[in-house]
């Protein structure tokens, strides 16, 4: 009974948050440069470009996984600033990905309400 009362008092965004989509993908050199040729250093921006490469440009590396959610530029833009990850593991990811010395296989889980993203959780993938 107390738990039900707590949920009723919680903000609607907390009550309704759910897993929107999850996928595995390989982040490689093509993902570390945006569509205008500018280098990307921040992992969240690289994930956003990876989804643009998959959906918009059809530039898919072996190991890239698909998703049914990020098929529009508006949805991909919602990734910005919403990422949570182990910053010690992904420190300087952009430089290492661009150099080709390191590819990152990641597991991405997107949480939110409907098509509104509240957080994007990025973890090391297996493989």
């Amino acid at each position: 009974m107390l738990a039900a009362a707590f949920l009723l008092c919680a903000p609607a965004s907390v009550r309704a948050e759910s897993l929107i989509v999850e996928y595995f993908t390989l982040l490689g050199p093509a993902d570390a440069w945006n569509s205008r040729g500018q280098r990307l250093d921040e992992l969240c921006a690289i994930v956003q470009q990876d989804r643009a490469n998959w959906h918009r440009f059809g530039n898919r590396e072996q190991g890239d996984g698909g998703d049914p959610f990020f098929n529009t530029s508006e949805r991909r833009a919602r990734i910005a600033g919403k990422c949570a990850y182990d910053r010690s593991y992904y420190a300087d990811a952009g430089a290492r990905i661009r150099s080709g010395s390191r590819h990152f296989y990641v597991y991405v889980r997107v949480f939110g309400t409907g098509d509104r993203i509240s957080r994007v959780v990025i973890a090391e993938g297996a493989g």
Side-chain angles (χ1 to χ4, degrees):
M1 182 75 157
L2 184 59
F6 173 75
L7 282 176
L8 289 176
C9 295
S13 60
V14 172
R15 287 194 311 255
E17 183 185 73
S18 62
L19 180 66
I20 295 173
V21 67
E22 61 186 339
Y23 61 93
F24 286 94
T25 194
L26 181 71
L27 302 177
D31 303 318
W33 301 90
N34 72 14
S35 306
R36 295 178 302 281
Q38 298 167 319
R39 59 188 239 167
L40 303 171
D41 288 316
E42 207 274 317
L43 185 62
C44 202
I46 293 170
V47 168
Q48 188 175 346
Q49 185 61 44
D50 173 71
R51 294 299 83 194
N53 287 340
W54 175 270
H55 287 285
R56 181 176 179 201
F57 302 113
N59 183 7
R60 300 171 181 173
E61 297 178 291
Q62 184 176 2
D64 274 352
D67 74 272
F69 184 76
F70 291 115
N71 56 350
T72 67
S73 60
E74 291 82 14
R75 285 183 174 174
R76 290 189 296 274
R78 294 178 192 159
I79 295 172
K82 303 280 178 39
C83 296
Y85 49 89
D86 180 350
R87 293 184 189 279
S88 63
Y89 178 77
Y90 293 110
D92 198 25
R96 289 188 287 166
I97 291 170
R98 279 191 308 280
S99 73
S101 66
R102 177 66 197 242
H103 286 69
F104 287 94
Y105 192 59
V106 294
Y107 174 47
V108 179
R109 292 175 295 150
V110 180
F111 295 89
T113 307
D115 66 350
R116 299 182 74 106
I117 296 172
S118 58
R119 59 192 168 111
V120 179
V121 180
I122 303 167
E124 182 180 8

